[in-house]
Amino acid sequence: MDKVYVEGMRFYGYHGAFKEENELGQRFYCDIIMELDAEKPGTTDDLDDTVNYALVYESAKEVLEGEPVKLVETLTRKVASLILGRFDIVHAVTVKVTKPDPPIPGHYDSVAVEIRRERGFDGT
């Protein structure tokens, strides 16, 4: 399976288990790897035959800047489900959502959740 990477997307959202996170908000980063057969788009050179990176970005933005949730796991699952639901060419997707500088005791650069979902795994 071929892969398309959209990495380093940055968003500002109001997700988290703490009240302050929901009120003040914070940064979130997102990386997406989509598994697909790139033979046709590689031959036709037609954007309609593959995934449009701008639409992938908008899908991640919809979730990460959208309705607040408590867990990074929830955000990650929602992004993966949206990608599989919107792009029929994608057979599987790996999504990593990173929360830099989490408001927890200790010294952390970031926390992150990465999941991989295949078409049919969640009903799509």
Side-chain angles (χ1 to χ4, degrees), residues 4 6 17 26 32 35 38 43 61 71 73 88 92 103:
V4 172
V6 180
Q26 60 199 307
I32 299 175
E35 298 177 38
T43 302
K61 180 179 181 178
L71 303 177
E73 290 85 345
D88 291 338

Coordinates of all heavy atoms in Angstrom, one line a residue, residues 4 6 17 26 32 35 38 43 61 71 73 88 92 103:
V4 N 0.3 8.5 1.8 CA 0.3 10.0 1.7 C 0.4 10.5 3.1 O -0.4 10.2 4.0 CB -0.9 10.5 1.0 CG1 -1.0 12.0 1.0 CG2 -1.0 10.0 -0.5
V6 N 0.5 13.9 5.6 CA 0.2 15.3 5.9 C 0.6 15.5 7.3 O -0.1 15.1 8.3 CB -1.3 15.7 5.6 CG1 -1.6 17.1 5.9 CG2 -1.8 15.3 4.2
A17 N -9.2 17.7 30.2 CA -9.9 17.2 31.4 C -10.0 18.3 32.4 O -10.8 18.2 33.4 CB -9.3 16.0 31.9
Q26 N -5.5 25.6 24.1 CA -4.1 25.3 23.9 C -3.8 24.8 22.5 O -4.8 24.5 21.7 CB -3.7 24.2 24.9 CG -4.5 22.9 24.8 CD -4.4 22.1 26.1 OE1 -3.3 21.9 26.6 NE2 -5.5 21.8 26.6
I32 N -1.0 13.0 9.9 CA -1.9 11.9 9.3 C -1.1 11.2 8.2 O -0.5 11.8 7.3 CB -3.2 12.6 8.7 CG1 -4.0 13.3 9.8 CG2 -4.0 11.5 8.0 CD1 -5.2 14.0 9.3
E35 N -3.1 5.4 3.9 CA -2.7 4.3 3.0 C -3.7 4.2 1.9 O -4.9 4.1 2.1 CB -2.6 3.0 3.8 CG -1.6 3.1 4.9 CD -1.5 1.9 5.8 OE1 -1.6 0.8 5.3 OE2 -1.3 2.0 7.0
A38 N -1.8 4.5 -5.0 CA -1.5 5.8 -5.7 C -1.2 5.5 -7.2 O -0.8 6.5 -7.9 CB -0.3 6.4 -5.0
T43 N -0.7 8.1 -12.4 CA -0.7 8.0 -13.8 C -1.5 9.1 -14.5 O -1.1 9.7 -15.4 CB -1.4 6.6 -14.2 OG1 -0.6 5.6 -13.6 CG2 -1.4 6.4 -15.7
K61 N -8.9 20.1 11.1 CA -9.3 21.4 11.7 C -10.7 21.3 12.3 O -10.9 21.8 13.4 CB -9.2 22.5 10.7 CG -9.6 23.9 11.3 CD -9.4 25.0 10.2 CE -9.8 26.3 10.8 NZ -9.6 27.4 9.9
L71 N -10.5 14.0 26.1 CA -9.3 13.1 25.9 C -8.7 13.3 24.5 O -9.4 13.5 23.5 CB -9.7 11.7 26.0 CG -10.3 11.3 27.4 CD1 -10.6 9.8 27.4 CD2 -9.3 11.6 28.5
E73 N -7.3 10.9 23.1 CA -7.8 9.7 22.4 C -9.1 9.9 21.6 O -9.2 9.4 20.5 CB -8.0 8.6 23.4 CG -6.8 8.0 24.1 CD -6.3 8.8 25.3 OE1 -6.7 9.9 25.5 OE2 -5.5 8.3 26.0
D88 N -12.9 7.9 0.0 CA -13.1 6.5 -0.3 C -11.8 5.8 -0.8 O -11.6 4.6 -0.6 CB -14.1 6.4 -1.4 CG -15.5 6.7 -1.0 OD1 -15.8 6.7 0.3 OD2 -16.4 7.0 -1.8
A92 N -6.6 2.8 4.8 CA -6.3 2.8 6.2 C -5.7 4.2 6.5 O -5.1 4.8 5.7 CB -5.3 1.7 6.6
P103 N -0.7 20.4 30.9 CA -0.8 21.0 32.2 C -0.8 19.9 33.3 O -1.8 19.8 34.0 CB -2.1 21.8 32.2 CG -3.0 21.0 31.3 CD -2.0 20.5 30.2

